[in-house]
Amino acid sequence: MSSRLDAEYADPTPLRVRIDTHERYSEKPHDPGGEVLTALALSGGEYLADVGCGDARFLARLVAYGHRGPLLGIDTSPAMVAAAQAVPGVRGVRADARHIPFDDNTFDVLTARHMLYHVPDPAAALHEFRRTTKPGGTVAVVVNHAETCPHISELVDAHAASYGIEPGAAPPRTVDSETLPRLMSDIFGSVHVQRCDNALVFDNPAPLIRFAEAIFGCRGIERDHPDRDAILADLSADVEDWFGHHRGRTWRDPKGYVVATALVAE
């Protein structure tokens, strides 16, 4: 993984802000973790690996549900691995999705939620998912639509550009909801895809500004950039101005994702 990605996830706070914003400000109920669990129909005894486990709230949810099988959180970020280790009964391992340090046919279930587009070679990661999952086991992958929250992204990019940070500074997305099904079918064969369309809706500036700041790292604005505070101040003023000139209106930004599941051939 890139040093930029490592820096982005060194502090779990922006990720938590993004997740919390989606939970609180989505137009329709937003629960990708629940969608994954529905697709998997777990018995509770599976050995499950969550690759790109983030702040480990998905694994914590499984523990709360009484999952009895081994649970493993894999991430490149030490902070995220530590979050997994902090969940009782969960083991955290620092590793790259393209080089999972486990034997062939280890896991009953492997999940990779909202992480595959960070991998420079998603096909290599999918081959690793297949290699480490047992025959008859299930791999579940979640990725966003290519045009997720485009208005907020454009706003952040425009303010970053005014300080010399070009949009190209953001890491390129390697896979999205349109390209994932074909990529997975090439590796696994049959793939079941569930599409979830939604939008973020804000009726006041504060949560929108908070979310915009939480995607700074994703858009190439590094935490230690000397103009970061100035970019945030300019963006905040712009958002405040928008709501001031559009009283009674909401800011709506389309988004969505797919949950793609595949069985590993016997």
Side-chain angles (χ1 to χ4, degrees):
M1 295 290 181
S2 68
S3 58
R4 184 187 300 277
L5 187 61
D6 291 340
E8 180 184 339
Y9 288 96
D11 177 1
T13 302
L15 173 63
R16 288 171 179 160
V17 169
R18 296 196 297 270
I19 293 172
D20 291 343
T21 301
H22 284 292
E23 290 178 350
R24 294 182 60 189
Y25 296 97
S26 288
E27 189 170 55
K28 297 183 288 188
H30 173 89
D31 185 14
E35 299 283 358
V36 170
L37 292 177
T38 298
L40 291 174
L42 300 172
S43 70
E46 296 89 353
Y47 186 178
L48 183 147
D50 189 34
V51 182
C53 64
D55 66 358
R57 67 179 64 197
F58 179 71
L59 294 167
R61 184 174 185 174
L62 288 170
V63 171
Y65 286 171
H67 192 90
R68 305 177 307 280
L71 294 171
L72 176 71
I74 298 175
D75 209 291
T76 59
S77 164
M80 304 305 174
V81 172
Q85 294 276 49
V87 179
V90 174
R91 179 186 175 194
V93 172
R94 188 181 183 194
D96 190 307
R98 297 165 295 178
H99 306 286
I100 298 174
F102 286 85
D103 292 337
D104 296 356
N105 308 329
T106 295
F107 311 118
D108 299 305
V109 176
L110 186 147
T111 56
R113 303 163 301 104
H114 300 291
M115 58 75 60
L116 196 61
Y117 31 63
H118 293 310
V119 181
D121 185 352
L126 289 170
H127 279 292
E128 274 294 88
F129 299 169
R130 189 183 192 283
R131 179 188 69 79
T132 54
T133 303
K134 296 175 182 176
T138 305
V139 173
V141 180
V142 182
V143 297
N144 289 335
H145 297 345
E147 292 296 314
T148 286
C149 302
H151 306 315
I152 298 174
S153 297
E154 289 168 7
L155 180 68
V156 172
D157 288 348
H159 283 282
S162 70
Y163 286 86
I165 302 172
E166 296 301 324
R173 291 295 172 100
T174 56
V175 67
D176 57 44
S177 61
E178 296 298 324
T179 60
L180 176 67
R182 173 67 178 274
L183 192 60
M184 286 187 67
S185 66
D186 288 344
I187 295 169
F188 293 96
S190 178
V191 177
H192 179 267
V193 179
Q194 179 175 349
R195 182 182 176 97
C196 303
D197 297 315
N198 208 333
L200 283 179
V201 179
F202 302 99
D203 63 3
N204 71 91
L208 171 53
I209 294 168
R210 194 161 52 245
F211 181 77
E213 183 183 10
I215 69 168
F216 272 16
C218 305
R219 310 307 301 178
I221 307 170
E222 298 182 9
R223 182 172 299 278
D224 59 354
H225 193 282
D227 295 317
R228 180 186 177 92
D229 289 345
I231 294 170
L232 179 59
D234 290 352
L235 182 147
S236 299
D238 205 359
V239 172
E240 295 275 2
D241 183 69
W242 189 92
F243 278 95
H245 284 84
H246 299 84
R247 296 191 182 280
R249 286 182 57 186
T250 57
W251 177 296
R252 184 181 185 276
D253 235 341
K255 63 167 185 166
Y257 58 87
V258 295
V259 178
T261 53
L263 292 176
V264 177
E266 297 280 357

